C-alpha cells in the first residue's frame, strides 16, 4: 500500500472517530440538560428515604376555571387534605407529587407507620399536592392524578386511593397518569370508589383549579423540593440527626403523645 493510500485510510478512520466523539459529546450534553431540568439535586437519600430537589415551572389558576375544593379540605385556603384526628398531638405535613419517585419512596416506606399512628389518634397528616414533574418533564400526569385523588376525597376514599397511586406509580419519564382511563382502572383497586360521581369528577377534571392553586402555594413556599415532610413545624429531611426513618417517626410521635 502506498504512503498516500495509507494516509488516506488513516484520515478517513480519524474522521469517523472524530465524528463519533462529537456525537457522543452532543448526546452527553443533551442528557445533562434533560437531567438538570428534571432534578437539580438528583436524589438525596436520607435515612433510607429519598428527598428529591426539583424545580418546577410556576403554574397559574387563571385558565383553570373556578376553584372547587374537595370535601373536607382544611387549612389555609382549604388546600390541605387531612387524615387522622383533629385533636392529635402531632401533625405531619406532606407536600408531594404523584409522579415524583422520591415521594413514592417515602410513601411506600412510611405507609404502615403513618396509618398506625393516625389510627391510634396520635398523629394527624395534612397532605398538600404539587405538580412539579409536569413542569419539569412535560405532560399532565401530576395534575390529573392529583385531581383524581381529590375526587376520591369527595367519596371518602382519599387515603386508600392515594396509596394505590403511589404503589402503582409509573416511571417518571412516562406519563400514563395523564390518561383518565388509567386512573379509573386503578380506582377499581379501592372498594366502593368506582362510582358514577367519581368517574365524572375524574373525566371532567373537576378540581383542576384547586390543584393549580395548591401548586402555586408550593412554589411560593421556601421548600427544597418534593417530598417536603414537616413534623410539628420541623423539616424532617433538613440535617436530620439521627436519620429520619419510620421508627424515628414513631418514636417522636409517641414521645409527644406521652407528654400529654
Amino acid at each position: 500500500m502506498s504512503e498516500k493510500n495509507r494516509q488516506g485510510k488513516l484520515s478517513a478512520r480519524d474522521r469517523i472517530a472524530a465524528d463519533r466523539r462529537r456525537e457522543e459529546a452532543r448526546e452527553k450534553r443533551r442528557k445533562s440538560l434533560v437531567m438538570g431540568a428534571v432534578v437539580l439535586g438528583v436524589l438525596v437519600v436520607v435515612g433510607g428515604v429519598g428527598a428529591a430537589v426539583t424545580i418546577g415551572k410556576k403554574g397559574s389558576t387563571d385558565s383553570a376555571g373556578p376553584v372547587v375544593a374537595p370535601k373536607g379540605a382544611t387549612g389555609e385556603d382549604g388546600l390541605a387534605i387531612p387524615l387522622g384526628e383533629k385533636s392529635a398531638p402531632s401533625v405531619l405535613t406532606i407536600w408531594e407529587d404523584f409522579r415524583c419517585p422520591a415521594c413514592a419512596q417515602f410513601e411506600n416506606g412510611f405507609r404502615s407507620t403513618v396509618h398506625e399512628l393516625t389510627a391510634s389518634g396520635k398523629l394527624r397528616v395534612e397532605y398538600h399536592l404539587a405538580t412539579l414533574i409536569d413542569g419539569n418533564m412535560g405532560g399532565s400526569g401530576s395534575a390529573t392524578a392529583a385531581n383524581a385523588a381529590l375526587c376520591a376525597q369527595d367519596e371518602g376514599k382519599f387515603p386508600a386511593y392515594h396509596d394505590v397511586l403511589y404503589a402503582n406509580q409509573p416511571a417518571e419519564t412516562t406519563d400514563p397518569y395523564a390518561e383518565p382511563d388509567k386512573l379509573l382502572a386503578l380506582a377499581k383497586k379501592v372498594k366502593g370508589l368506582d362510582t358514577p360521581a367519581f368517574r365524572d369528577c375524574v373525566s371532567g377534571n373537576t378540581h383542576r383549579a384547586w390543584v393549580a392553586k395548591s401548586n402555586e402555594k408550593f412554589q411560593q413556599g421556601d421548600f427544597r423540593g418534593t417530598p417536603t415532610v414537616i413534623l410539628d413545624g420541623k423539616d424532617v429531611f433538613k440535617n436530620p440527626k439521627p436519620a429520619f426513618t419510620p421508627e424515628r417517626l414513631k418514636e417522636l410521635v409517641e414521645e409527644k403523645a406521652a407528654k400529654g
Side-chain angles (χ1 to χ4, degrees), residues 99 131-144 174-175 177-178:
R99 287 181 71 190
T131 59
L132 303 185
I133 305 301
D134 286 355
N136 291 332
M137 298 292 295
S140 60
S142 298
T144 308
T174 65
D175 197 22
Y177 279 178

Side-chain angles (χ1 to χ4, degrees), residues 68-71 79 81 95-100 127-134 140-154 157-158 161-162 165-166 169 175-180 183 186 193 198 201-215:
V68 180
K71 293 178 181 178
L79 294 176
I81 303 301
W95 285 91
E96 57 188 11
D97 180 330
F98 286 110
R99 287 181 71 190
C100 163
Y127 290 101
H128 296 264
L129 306 182
T131 59
L132 303 185
I133 305 301
D134 286 355
S140 60
S142 298
T144 308
N147 174 75
L150 300 177
C151 296
Q153 170 69 10
D154 288 337
K157 304 288 185 179
F158 176 87
Y161 190 61
H162 164 277
L165 288 175
Y166 278 115
Q169 186 188 71
D175 197 22
Y177 279 178
E179 300 299 326
L183 299 168
L186 289 174
L193 178 56
F198 174 78
C201 182
V202 172
S203 299
N205 210 7
T206 299
H207 298 295
R208 61 188 176 279
W210 188 100
V211 173
K213 187 175 182 180
S214 179
N215 187 60

Side-chain angles (χ1 to χ4, degrees), residues 64-196:
V67 175
V68 180
K71 293 178 181 178
T74 61
E76 185 179 354
D77 296 327
L79 294 176
I81 303 301
L83 174 64
E85 299 295 331
K86 189 174 182 179
S87 59
S90 289
V91 178
L92 189 69
T93 302
I94 304 175
W95 285 91
E96 57 188 11
D97 180 330
F98 286 110
R99 287 181 71 190
C100 163
C103 298
Q105 189 179 356
F106 172 79
E107 287 293 345
N108 295 334
F110 279 74
R111 179 178 298 125
S112 60
T113 302
V114 168
H115 286 325
E116 176 188 344
L117 293 171
T118 55
S120 70
K122 297 174 183 177
L123 179 68
R124 173 182 172 87
V125 183
E126 294 184 349
Y127 290 101
H128 296 264
L129 306 182
T131 59
L132 303 185
I133 305 301
D134 286 355
N136 291 332
M137 298 292 295
S140 60
S142 298
T144 308
N147 174 75
L150 300 177
C151 296
Q153 170 69 10
D154 288 337
E155 301 297 312
K157 304 288 185 179
F158 176 87
Y161 190 61
H162 164 277
D163 292 350
V164 164
L165 288 175
Y166 278 115
N168 293 273
Q169 186 188 71
E172 183 184 16
T173 53
T174 65
D175 197 22
Y177 279 178
E179 300 299 326
D181 286 348
K182 175 66 174 178
L183 299 168
L184 293 173
L186 289 174
K188 295 181 185 298
K189 295 178 178 289
V190 179
K191 185 177 180 180
L193 178 56
D194 186 24
T195 65

